[in-house]
Amino acid sequence: MKFHPASWIALVLFLHILQFPAANRLDAHYRNAVFLFVFVCVLLGLQGKGAVMSSLIDVQITPAILLVALSRLPLEQARAAIALFVWIITLNVLLVALEFVLRTPILPREFVEVIFRPAGLFGHPINAGLLFCCAMLLLTRGAVGTFARRPLMLAFLGGTALCGVRGPLAIAAAIFIVNVIKPTLPRRSAIDYFLDFGVLFAVPIVVTIAYSVGAFDRILSLGVWEESSQSRLFIFDALDWLRSDEFWWGIDSYDRMEELTKSATGGRYIENSFVFITFAAGYPMALLASLSLTFLQAPALRRSLLFAMTFTLAAFATIAFTTKGSSSAGIALAGYWIWRLDYERKHRVQSSP
């Protein structure tokens, strides 16, 4: 059982939390989510599923503790933390572009692809694509200033295209289009209209350049509905292959896990968090973990359809919520900021004379 550095970050965040009093509904909600995740991890530990438990500590408990810490900060300090995340993702756009030009990863990887896809700092193209989507959601909620917001939206859309990931690219395109048609933050001046339509005018130029340099080669070669896409939809059929004890308690044998995974995916990985946990720890644990994660993000899921689409994509077409990586934290930050701004707005309305 190994712990990612994020687990130790959780301890630092916990010490930070103790310095600030609980002051709002956000804090209470996220603390309850942490307790739910801890309960799930305790059950996993009692079940002897240490590997799954350590993964959930990294990708679910740590982001939830981060949200508790952010919820206790004043709004402007929380905004600064969110902006820092956006600028890190901006740096990754540059690294993704550099990797795409060089056709080689900057950081070591554990896999090789027939058609190279860049990822920059985040290890896998899907993680990078999901984080670009999260950063775009944050931009729609004013994470950075007006003049930086529009070009960054286009840069993140382009970065997602360079990563060659179909699901995140579709979500990123939807976020971009909706934000142009009906922005979450209303346009308040002629400059806002000028910037929005200037960026919109730049889209066909950027798409043409991306196409000419081969950014869409992998997507065009695979198509929209090929074996990899189908495996994400039909992966639930693999649950029928589990024996009764495996369904309820998970698969104990590594060889058996490998055999069923290869059979279910045609030699690929299980890219569905619910099915992955069911295989590893059993259906009850998968259900509890899914309910806990949904509870954590329930406020944002009720407030943003685009966030709900990003969340659903991550849960059912990737293993972002079960493997150690940064995309689960990015999704947590996006959901937090969506709710925080709505909470602050309503609080101002209620407190105004």
Side-chain angles (χ1 to χ4, degrees):
M1 181 172 61
K2 297 180 180 179
F3 292 96
H4 191 269
S7 301
W8 308 114
I9 292 173
L11 295 177
V12 177
L13 291 172
F14 180 74
L15 295 176
H16 164 81
I17 289 170
L18 295 179
Q19 300 177 15
F20 294 88
N24 52 48
R25 284 181 51 216
L26 287 80
D27 175 85
H29 177 85
Y30 291 133
R31 278 190 287 113
N32 290 337
V34 171
F35 293 145
L36 280 175
F37 287 134
V38 169
F39 175 68
V40 173
C41 286
V42 168
L43 293 180
L44 287 168
L46 294 175
Q47 195 177 326
K49 303 294 183 179
V52 182
M53 181 184 75
S54 65
S55 293
L56 293 189
I57 289 173
D58 286 346
V59 302
Q60 296 191 7
I61 290 183
T62 300
I65 292 176
L66 171 62
L67 301 191
V68 175
L70 287 174
S71 69
R72 296 192 177 194
L73 290 176
L75 179 62
E76 290 310 312
Q77 291 184 23
R79 188 189 301 274
I82 295 296
L84 175 61
F85 169 78
V86 171
W87 291 119
I88 292 173
I89 302 303
T90 303
L91 171 63
N92 202 52
V93 172
L94 301 176
L95 295 178
V96 162
L98 179 61
E99 284 189 350
F100 183 84
V101 172
L102 299 177
R103 299 291 176 175
T104 185
I106 295 173
L107 300 178
R109 288 188 184 180
E110 298 178 354
F111 62 94
V112 177
E113 297 181 296
V114 176
I115 299 178
F116 175 76
R117 294 184 296 171
L121 297 171
F122 301 112
H124 196 284
I126 293 178
N127 285 336
L130 285 172
L131 287 168
F132 285 139
C133 292
C134 293
M136 292 178 74
L137 287 170
L138 292 171
L139 289 176
T140 65
R141 258 66 180 188
V144 299
T146 300
F147 286 97
R149 190 184 313 148
R150 273 74 174 189
L152 285 180
M153 286 285 286
L154 185 58
F156 294 156
L157 179 62
T160 311
L162 290 179
C163 289
V165 282
R166 291 164 293 183
L169 180 57
I171 300 295
I175 295 171
F176 184 88
I177 292 170
V178 170
N179 187 67
V180 171
I181 296 174
K182 189 178 181 181
T184 306
L185 300 177
R187 301 181 182 96
R188 300 185 182 278
S189 67
I191 294 178
D192 290 338
Y193 284 93
F194 175 79
L195 290 173
D196 274 343
F197 287 104
V199 169
L200 188 62
F201 178 76
V203 168
I205 300 174
V206 172
V207 170
T208 302
I209 294 173
Y211 179 81
S212 64
V213 299
F216 302 114
D217 286 355
R218 180 180 181 273
I219 295 175
L220 293 175
S221 64
L222 292 176
V224 176
W225 188 244
E226 44 72 63
E227 186 176 356
S228 176
S229 302
Q230 295 174 33
S231 67
R232 289 174 167 86
L233 179 62
F234 298 117
I235 190 63
F236 286 99
D237 294 341
L239 298 179
D240 294 335
W241 302 350
L242 297 174
R243 299 191 299 262
S244 177
D245 60 316
E246 293 172 339
F247 180 81
W248 293 108
W249 302 104
I251 302 171
D252 292 324
S253 168
Y254 178 81
D255 292 337
R256 170 74 172 162
M257 183 80 164
E258 284 286 296
E259 174 191 350
L260 285 182
T261 298
K262 290 180 179 178
S263 300
T265 63
R268 297 181 177 86
Y269 299 101
I270 295 177
E271 295 183 290
N272 181 297
S273 296
F274 184 86
V275 174
F276 181 87
I277 298 178
T278 302
F279 270 46
Y283 176 77
M285 288 295 99
L287 186 60
L288 280 174
S290 300
L291 290 174
S292 300
L293 185 61
T294 303
F295 174 80
L296 173 71
Q297 297 295 355
L301 291 171
R302 293 196 302 267
R303 287 167 171 81
S304 172
L305 176 60
L306 291 171
F307 175 78
M309 291 167 60
T310 306
F311 179 86
T312 302
L313 174 71
F316 291 103
T318 75
I319 46 177
F321 296 126
T322 50
T323 56
K324 299 172 182 181
S326 305
S327 51
S328 60
I331 293 168
L333 286 174
Y336 157 79
W337 193 238
I338 289 169
W339 188 25
R340 178 71 186 260
L341 290 187
D342 185 70
Y343 172 85
E344 296 289 346
R345 179 183 58 82
K346 291 181 178 178
H347 184 69
R348 284 196 301 271
V349 170
Q350 292 172 359
S351 60
S352 61

PDB file of all heavy atoms in Angstrom, residues 326-352:
ATOM      1  N   SER A 326      -4.175  14.158 -11.136  1.00  0.00           N
ATOM      2  CA  SER A 326      -4.590  15.509 -10.766  1.00  0.00           C
ATOM      3  C   SER A 326      -6.009  15.865 -11.207  1.00  0.00           C
ATOM      4  O   SER A 326      -6.552  16.865 -10.750  1.00  0.00           O
ATOM      5  CB  SER A 326      -3.615  16.526 -11.373  1.00  0.00           C
ATOM      6  OG  SER A 326      -2.292  16.246 -10.992  1.00  0.00           O
ATOM      7  N   SER A 327      -6.592  15.081 -12.108  1.00  0.00           N
ATOM      8  CA  SER A 327      -7.878  15.478 -12.678  1.00  0.00           C
ATOM      9  C   SER A 327      -8.996  15.490 -11.639  1.00  0.00           C
ATOM     10  O   SER A 327      -9.897  16.338 -11.705  1.00  0.00           O
ATOM     11  CB  SER A 327      -8.252  14.569 -13.853  1.00  0.00           C
ATOM     12  OG  SER A 327      -8.161  13.212 -13.504  1.00  0.00           O
ATOM     13  N   SER A 328      -8.950  14.574 -10.651  1.00  0.00           N
ATOM     14  CA  SER A 328      -9.993  14.584  -9.620  1.00  0.00           C
ATOM     15  C   SER A 328      -9.941  15.869  -8.801  1.00  0.00           C
ATOM     16  O   SER A 328     -10.977  16.418  -8.425  1.00  0.00           O
ATOM     17  CB  SER A 328      -9.855  13.361  -8.700  1.00  0.00           C
ATOM     18  OG  SER A 328      -8.588  13.365  -8.050  1.00  0.00           O
ATOM     19  N   ALA A 329      -8.727  16.372  -8.535  1.00  0.00           N
ATOM     20  CA  ALA A 329      -8.601  17.631  -7.798  1.00  0.00           C
ATOM     21  C   ALA A 329      -9.104  18.800  -8.642  1.00  0.00           C
ATOM     22  O   ALA A 329      -9.746  19.722  -8.115  1.00  0.00           O
ATOM     23  CB  ALA A 329      -7.142  17.854  -7.398  1.00  0.00           C
ATOM     24  N   GLY A 330      -8.831  18.779  -9.946  1.00  0.00           N
ATOM     25  CA  GLY A 330      -9.321  19.836 -10.831  1.00  0.00           C
ATOM     26  C   GLY A 330     -10.837  19.875 -10.870  1.00  0.00           C
ATOM     27  O   GLY A 330     -11.447  20.960 -10.832  1.00  0.00           O
ATOM     28  N   ILE A 331     -11.461  18.711 -10.946  1.00  0.00           N
ATOM     29  CA  ILE A 331     -12.921  18.638 -10.949  1.00  0.00           C
ATOM     30  C   ILE A 331     -13.480  19.135  -9.612  1.00  0.00           C
ATOM     31  O   ILE A 331     -14.494  19.853  -9.564  1.00  0.00           O
ATOM     32  CB  ILE A 331     -13.378  17.204 -11.245  1.00  0.00           C
ATOM     33  CG1 ILE A 331     -13.011  16.834 -12.688  1.00  0.00           C
ATOM     34  CG2 ILE A 331     -14.887  17.037 -11.024  1.00  0.00           C
ATOM     35  CD1 ILE A 331     -13.161  15.372 -13.007  1.00  0.00           C
ATOM     36  N   ALA A 332     -12.806  18.772  -8.518  1.00  0.00           N
ATOM     37  CA  ALA A 332     -13.241  19.241  -7.200  1.00  0.00           C
ATOM     38  C   ALA A 332     -13.182  20.765  -7.111  1.00  0.00           C
ATOM     39  O   ALA A 332     -14.110  21.411  -6.601  1.00  0.00           O
ATOM     40  CB  ALA A 332     -12.374  18.611  -6.110  1.00  0.00           C
ATOM     41  N   LEU A 333     -12.108  21.365  -7.621  1.00  0.00           N
ATOM     42  CA  LEU A 333     -11.973  22.824  -7.593  1.00  0.00           C
ATOM     43  C   LEU A 333     -13.046  23.505  -8.428  1.00  0.00           C
ATOM     44  O   LEU A 333     -13.615  24.530  -8.018  1.00  0.00           O
ATOM     45  CB  LEU A 333     -10.592  23.228  -8.101  1.00  0.00           C
ATOM     46  CG  LEU A 333      -9.410  22.979  -7.162  1.00  0.00           C
ATOM     47  CD1 LEU A 333      -8.105  23.303  -7.871  1.00  0.00           C
ATOM     48  CD2 LEU A 333      -9.542  23.793  -5.882  1.00  0.00           C
ATOM     49  N   ALA A 334     -13.334  22.944  -9.610  1.00  0.00           N
ATOM     50  CA  ALA A 334     -14.367  23.531 -10.461  1.00  0.00           C
ATOM     51  C   ALA A 334     -15.723  23.487  -9.769  1.00  0.00           C
ATOM     52  O   ALA A 334     -16.474  24.484  -9.767  1.00  0.00           O
ATOM     53  CB  ALA A 334     -14.421  22.799 -11.795  1.00  0.00           C
ATOM     54  N   GLY A 335     -16.054  22.344  -9.173  1.00  0.00           N
ATOM     55  CA  GLY A 335     -17.333  22.230  -8.473  1.00  0.00           C
ATOM     56  C   GLY A 335     -17.422  23.161  -7.287  1.00  0.00           C
ATOM     57  O   GLY A 335     -18.470  23.794  -7.049  1.00  0.00           O
ATOM     58  N   TYR A 336     -16.324  23.275  -6.548  1.00  0.00           N
ATOM     59  CA  TYR A 336     -16.297  24.191  -5.400  1.00  0.00           C
ATOM     60  C   TYR A 336     -16.538  25.636  -5.828  1.00  0.00           C
ATOM     61  O   TYR A 336     -17.344  26.352  -5.217  1.00  0.00           O
ATOM     62  CB  TYR A 336     -14.948  24.080  -4.692  1.00  0.00           C
ATOM     63  CG  TYR A 336     -14.595  25.304  -3.875  1.00  0.00           C
ATOM     64  CD1 TYR A 336     -15.160  25.505  -2.621  1.00  0.00           C
ATOM     65  CD2 TYR A 336     -13.727  26.270  -4.370  1.00  0.00           C
ATOM     66  CE1 TYR A 336     -14.862  26.642  -1.881  1.00  0.00           C
ATOM     67  CE2 TYR A 336     -13.419  27.408  -3.633  1.00  0.00           C
ATOM     68  CZ  TYR A 336     -13.994  27.589  -2.384  1.00  0.00           C
ATOM     69  OH  TYR A 336     -13.696  28.713  -1.667  1.00  0.00           O
ATOM     70  N   TRP A 337     -15.859  26.095  -6.863  1.00  0.00           N
ATOM     71  CA  TRP A 337     -15.940  27.493  -7.261  1.00  0.00           C
ATOM     72  C   TRP A 337     -17.331  27.833  -7.793  1.00  0.00           C
ATOM     73  O   TRP A 337     -17.843  28.928  -7.558  1.00  0.00           O
ATOM     74  CB  TRP A 337     -14.866  27.796  -8.293  1.00  0.00           C
ATOM     75  CG  TRP A 337     -14.665  29.260  -8.543  1.00  0.00           C
ATOM     76  CD1 TRP A 337     -14.785  29.911  -9.741  1.00  0.00           C
ATOM     77  CD2 TRP A 337     -14.296  30.260  -7.595  1.00  0.00           C
ATOM     78  NE1 TRP A 337     -14.524  31.245  -9.604  1.00  0.00           N
ATOM     79  CE2 TRP A 337     -14.220  31.499  -8.287  1.00  0.00           C
ATOM     80  CE3 TRP A 337     -14.033  30.241  -6.231  1.00  0.00           C
ATOM     81  CZ2 TRP A 337     -13.892  32.682  -7.650  1.00  0.00           C
ATOM     82  CZ3 TRP A 337     -13.705  31.429  -5.593  1.00  0.00           C
ATOM     83  CH2 TRP A 337     -13.637  32.627  -6.301  1.00  0.00           C
ATOM     84  N   ILE A 338     -17.951  26.885  -8.491  1.00  0.00           N
ATOM     85  CA  ILE A 338     -19.312  27.101  -8.979  1.00  0.00           C
ATOM     86  C   ILE A 338     -20.261  27.331  -7.804  1.00  0.00           C
ATOM     87  O   ILE A 338     -21.087  28.254  -7.813  1.00  0.00           O
ATOM     88  CB  ILE A 338     -19.763  25.902  -9.827  1.00  0.00           C
ATOM     89  CG1 ILE A 338     -19.018  25.890 -11.168  1.00  0.00           C
ATOM     90  CG2 ILE A 338     -21.279  25.925 -10.060  1.00  0.00           C
ATOM     91  CD1 ILE A 338     -19.202  24.611 -11.964  1.00  0.00           C
ATOM     92  N   TRP A 339     -20.133  26.510  -6.769  1.00  0.00           N
ATOM     93  CA  TRP A 339     -21.019  26.657  -5.616  1.00  0.00           C
ATOM     94  C   TRP A 339     -20.645  27.879  -4.779  1.00  0.00           C
ATOM     95  O   TRP A 339     -21.514  28.613  -4.308  1.00  0.00           O
ATOM     96  CB  TRP A 339     -20.976  25.394  -4.749  1.00  0.00           C
ATOM     97  CG  TRP A 339     -22.001  25.404  -3.645  1.00  0.00           C
ATOM     98  CD1 TRP A 339     -23.188  26.099  -3.634  1.00  0.00           C
ATOM     99  CD2 TRP A 339     -21.946  24.694  -2.410  1.00  0.00           C
ATOM    100  NE1 TRP A 339     -23.871  25.861  -2.466  1.00  0.00           N
ATOM    101  CE2 TRP A 339     -23.142  25.001  -1.697  1.00  0.00           C
ATOM    102  CE3 TRP A 339     -21.025  23.820  -1.839  1.00  0.00           C
ATOM    103  CZ2 TRP A 339     -23.408  24.468  -0.437  1.00  0.00           C
ATOM    104  CZ3 TRP A 339     -21.301  23.285  -0.585  1.00  0.00           C
ATOM    105  CH2 TRP A 339     -22.474  23.603   0.105  1.00  0.00           C
ATOM    106  N   ARG A 340     -19.340  28.128  -4.629  1.00  0.00           N
ATOM    107  CA  ARG A 340     -18.904  29.242  -3.776  1.00  0.00           C
ATOM    108  C   ARG A 340     -19.444  30.569  -4.297  1.00  0.00           C
ATOM    109  O   ARG A 340     -19.957  31.401  -3.527  1.00  0.00           O
ATOM    110  CB  ARG A 340     -17.373  29.284  -3.722  1.00  0.00           C
ATOM    111  CG  ARG A 340     -16.783  30.455  -2.890  1.00  0.00           C
ATOM    112  CD  ARG A 340     -17.026  30.250  -1.419  1.00  0.00           C
ATOM    113  NE  ARG A 340     -16.602  31.402  -0.616  1.00  0.00           N
ATOM    114  CZ  ARG A 340     -15.448  31.476   0.057  1.00  0.00           C
ATOM    115  NH1 ARG A 340     -14.582  30.480  -0.010  1.00  0.00           N
ATOM    116  NH2 ARG A 340     -15.172  32.522   0.795  1.00  0.00           N
ATOM    117  N   LEU A 341     -19.342  30.785  -5.601  1.00  0.00           N
ATOM    118  CA  LEU A 341     -19.833  32.049  -6.156  1.00  0.00           C
ATOM    119  C   LEU A 341     -21.345  32.178  -6.015  1.00  0.00           C
ATOM    120  O   LEU A 341     -21.860  33.260  -5.716  1.00  0.00           O
ATOM    121  CB  LEU A 341     -19.431  32.171  -7.622  1.00  0.00           C
ATOM    122  CG  LEU A 341     -17.945  32.380  -7.901  1.00  0.00           C
ATOM    123  CD1 LEU A 341     -17.727  32.652  -9.381  1.00  0.00           C
ATOM    124  CD2 LEU A 341     -17.378  33.530  -7.074  1.00  0.00           C
ATOM    125  N   ASP A 342     -22.064  31.079  -6.221  1.00  0.00           N
ATOM    126  CA  ASP A 342     -23.517  31.119  -6.059  1.00  0.00           C
ATOM    127  C   ASP A 342     -23.885  31.379  -4.604  1.00  0.00           C
ATOM    128  O   ASP A 342     -24.804  32.158  -4.297  1.00  0.00           O
ATOM    129  CB  ASP A 342     -24.124  29.794  -6.535  1.00  0.00           C
ATOM    130  CG  ASP A 342     -25.634  29.806  -6.503  1.00  0.00           C
ATOM    131  OD1 ASP A 342     -26.235  30.515  -7.334  1.00  0.00           O
ATOM    132  OD2 ASP A 342     -26.229  29.122  -5.636  1.00  0.00           O
ATOM    133  N   TYR A 343     -23.149  30.753  -3.693  1.00  0.00           N
ATOM    134  CA  TYR A 343     -23.385  30.961  -2.259  1.00  0.00           C
ATOM    135  C   TYR A 343     -23.129  32.413  -1.864  1.00  0.00           C
ATOM    136  O   TYR A 343     -23.933  33.034  -1.148  1.00  0.00           O
ATOM    137  CB  TYR A 343     -22.482  30.015  -1.461  1.00  0.00           C
ATOM    138  CG  TYR A 343     -22.489  30.272   0.025  1.00  0.00           C
ATOM    139  CD1 TYR A 343     -23.465  29.714   0.844  1.00  0.00           C
ATOM    140  CD2 TYR A 343     -21.518  31.078   0.615  1.00  0.00           C
ATOM    141  CE1 TYR A 343     -23.482  29.958   2.212  1.00  0.00           C
ATOM    142  CE2 TYR A 343     -21.514  31.323   1.980  1.00  0.00           C
ATOM    143  CZ  TYR A 343     -22.502  30.765   2.764  1.00  0.00           C
ATOM    144  OH  TYR A 343     -22.509  31.009   4.118  1.00  0.00           O
ATOM    145  N   GLU A 344     -22.018  32.989  -2.326  1.00  0.00           N
ATOM    146  CA  GLU A 344     -21.683  34.368  -1.984  1.00  0.00           C
ATOM    147  C   GLU A 344     -22.710  35.337  -2.555  1.00  0.00           C
ATOM    148  O   GLU A 344     -23.085  36.326  -1.911  1.00  0.00           O
ATOM    149  CB  GLU A 344     -20.291  34.711  -2.512  1.00  0.00           C
ATOM    150  CG  GLU A 344     -19.155  33.910  -1.879  1.00  0.00           C
ATOM    151  CD  GLU A 344     -18.891  34.304  -0.444  1.00  0.00           C
ATOM    152  OE1 GLU A 344     -19.389  35.368  -0.017  1.00  0.00           O
ATOM    153  OE2 GLU A 344     -18.186  33.558   0.263  1.00  0.00           O
ATOM    154  N   ARG A 345     -23.175  35.063  -3.774  1.00  0.00           N
ATOM    155  CA  ARG A 345     -24.172  35.936  -4.397  1.00  0.00           C
ATOM    156  C   ARG A 345     -25.464  35.952  -3.573  1.00  0.00           C
ATOM    157  O   ARG A 345     -26.029  37.010  -3.277  1.00  0.00           O
ATOM    158  CB  ARG A 345     -24.461  35.483  -5.818  1.00  0.00           C
ATOM    159  CG  ARG A 345     -25.501  36.320  -6.557  1.00  0.00           C
ATOM    160  CD  ARG A 345     -25.768  35.754  -7.932  1.00  0.00           C
ATOM    161  NE  ARG A 345     -26.233  34.373  -7.895  1.00  0.00           N
ATOM    162  CZ  ARG A 345     -27.484  34.032  -7.661  1.00  0.00           C
ATOM    163  NH1 ARG A 345     -28.412  34.964  -7.439  1.00  0.00           N
ATOM    164  NH2 ARG A 345     -27.839  32.745  -7.631  1.00  0.00           N
ATOM    165  N   LYS A 346     -25.944  34.750  -3.196  1.00  0.00           N
ATOM    166  CA  LYS A 346     -27.176  34.678  -2.426  1.00  0.00           C
ATOM    167  C   LYS A 346     -27.002  35.291  -1.045  1.00  0.00           C
ATOM    168  O   LYS A 346     -27.926  35.909  -0.496  1.00  0.00           O
ATOM    169  CB  LYS A 346     -27.615  33.217  -2.317  1.00  0.00           C
ATOM    170  CG  LYS A 346     -28.093  32.634  -3.646  1.00  0.00           C
ATOM    171  CD  LYS A 346     -28.540  31.192  -3.485  1.00  0.00           C
ATOM    172  CE  LYS A 346     -29.064  30.630  -4.806  1.00  0.00           C
ATOM    173  NZ  LYS A 346     -29.458  29.212  -4.698  1.00  0.00           N
ATOM    174  N   HIS A 347     -25.804  35.099  -0.470  1.00  0.00           N
ATOM    175  CA  HIS A 347     -25.540  35.658   0.860  1.00  0.00           C
ATOM    176  C   HIS A 347     -25.568  37.187   0.812  1.00  0.00           C
ATOM    177  O   HIS A 347     -26.096  37.844   1.725  1.00  0.00           O
ATOM    178  CB  HIS A 347     -24.188  35.173   1.382  1.00  0.00           C
ATOM    179  CG  HIS A 347     -23.873  35.598   2.760  1.00  0.00           C
ATOM    180  ND1 HIS A 347     -24.543  35.109   3.864  1.00  0.00           N
ATOM    181  CD2 HIS A 347     -22.985  36.505   3.244  1.00  0.00           C
ATOM    182  CE1 HIS A 347     -24.070  35.673   4.954  1.00  0.00           C
ATOM    183  NE2 HIS A 347     -23.112  36.526   4.615  1.00  0.00           N
ATOM    184  N   ARG A 348     -25.013  37.772  -0.262  1.00  0.00           N
ATOM    185  CA  ARG A 348     -25.035  39.242  -0.410  1.00  0.00           C
ATOM    186  C   ARG A 348     -26.455  39.744  -0.559  1.00  0.00           C
ATOM    187  O   ARG A 348     -26.825  40.786   0.000  1.00  0.00           O
ATOM    188  CB  ARG A 348     -24.197  39.652  -1.601  1.00  0.00           C
ATOM    189  CG  ARG A 348     -22.697  39.592  -1.379  1.00  0.00           C
ATOM    190  CD  ARG A 348     -21.965  40.370  -2.459  1.00  0.00           C
ATOM    191  NE  ARG A 348     -22.244  39.863  -3.789  1.00  0.00           N
ATOM    192  CZ  ARG A 348     -21.531  38.902  -4.381  1.00  0.00           C
ATOM    193  NH1 ARG A 348     -20.515  38.358  -3.752  1.00  0.00           N
ATOM    194  NH2 ARG A 348     -21.845  38.499  -5.600  1.00  0.00           N
ATOM    195  N   VAL A 349     -27.267  39.018  -1.320  1.00  0.00           N
ATOM    196  CA  VAL A 349     -28.664  39.427  -1.531  1.00  0.00           C
ATOM    197  C   VAL A 349     -29.433  39.390  -0.215  1.00  0.00           C
ATOM    198  O   VAL A 349     -30.187  40.299   0.133  1.00  0.00           O
ATOM    199  CB  VAL A 349     -29.331  38.521  -2.591  1.00  0.00           C
ATOM    200  CG1 VAL A 349     -30.832  38.791  -2.634  1.00  0.00           C
ATOM    201  CG2 VAL A 349     -28.707  38.737  -3.959  1.00  0.00           C
ATOM    202  N   GLN A 350     -29.224  38.331   0.573  1.00  0.00           N
ATOM    203  CA  GLN A 350     -29.942  38.202   1.819  1.00  0.00           C
ATOM    204  C   GLN A 350     -29.509  39.222   2.866  1.00  0.00           C
ATOM    205  O   GLN A 350     -30.308  39.657   3.690  1.00  0.00           O
ATOM    206  CB  GLN A 350     -29.736  36.777   2.381  1.00  0.00           C
ATOM    207  CG  GLN A 350     -30.403  35.705   1.546  1.00  0.00           C
ATOM    208  CD  GLN A 350     -30.018  34.299   2.005  1.00  0.00           C
ATOM    209  OE1 GLN A 350     -29.239  34.129   2.927  1.00  0.00           O
ATOM    210  NE2 GLN A 350     -30.586  33.303   1.341  1.00  0.00           N
ATOM    211  N   SER A 351     -28.229  39.620   2.818  1.00  0.00           N
ATOM    212  CA  SER A 351     -27.708  40.540   3.816  1.00  0.00           C
ATOM    213  C   SER A 351     -27.897  42.011   3.443  1.00  0.00           C
ATOM    214  O   SER A 351     -27.715  42.896   4.271  1.00  0.00           O
ATOM    215  CB  SER A 351     -26.222  40.285   4.076  1.00  0.00           C
ATOM    216  OG  SER A 351     -25.481  40.456   2.880  1.00  0.00           O
ATOM    217  N   SER A 352     -28.261  42.250   2.170  1.00  0.00           N
ATOM    218  CA  SER A 352     -28.454  43.644   1.741  1.00  0.00           C
ATOM    219  C   SER A 352     -29.757  44.188   2.323  1.00  0.00           C
ATOM    220  O   SER A 352     -30.743  43.457   2.476  1.00  0.00           O
ATOM    221  CB  SER A 352     -28.478  43.727   0.215  1.00  0.00           C
ATOM    222  OG  SER A 352     -29.551  42.972  -0.321  1.00  0.00           O
TER     223      SER A 352
END
